[in-house]
Amino acid sequence: MIGMLSKISPKLKEKGRKTMRFIHATYNMLHNCIDVTTFDGYVLRIDYIKAEERLKTTPCSECALNALAIDNPLEYATLYLECGMQTR
């Protein structure tokens, strides 16, 4: 599944972080993670269990996040890398 291109938000660029353009993201069921490939030639691996461990979730919202990670991993990776997930 090749997803739409995304960029890390300008807020992160202002903080001195490098912007990244994603090209492809897939759910890796062997490692229970999301593998993201970028135009810059990097491969990122996001362990979504660890990414969600500090979130305040209900069983319903946890199920929705898991479904997003499996069904649309590029959107999940963008949400995670842009710090769009609420933490404690």
Side-chain angles (χ1 to χ4, degrees), residues 1 25-30 32-35 46 48-49 52 62-77 85:
M1 170 194 323
T26 57
Y27 173 72
N28 184 334
M29 73 176 125
L30 296 175
N32 203 24
C33 65
I34 297 171
D35 293 331
I46 300 171
Y48 77 90
I49 300 296
E52 296 174 9
E62 187 176 331
C63 182
L65 281 172
N66 290 341
L68 182 64
I70 294 168
D71 296 335
N72 195 346
L74 185 60
E75 186 175 337
Y76 183 93
M85 294 184 179

Side-chain angles (χ1 to χ4, degrees), residues 38-71:
T38 68
F39 274 118
D40 301 329
Y42 295 103
V43 177
L44 307 172
R45 179 167 281 170
I46 300 171
D47 182 355
Y48 77 90
I49 300 296
K50 289 185 180 185
E52 296 174 9
E53 73 184 8
R54 291 188 177 179
L55 292 178
K56 295 178 183 178
T57 59
T58 63
C60 197
S61 64
E62 187 176 331
C63 182
L65 281 172
N66 290 341
L68 182 64
I70 294 168
D71 296 335

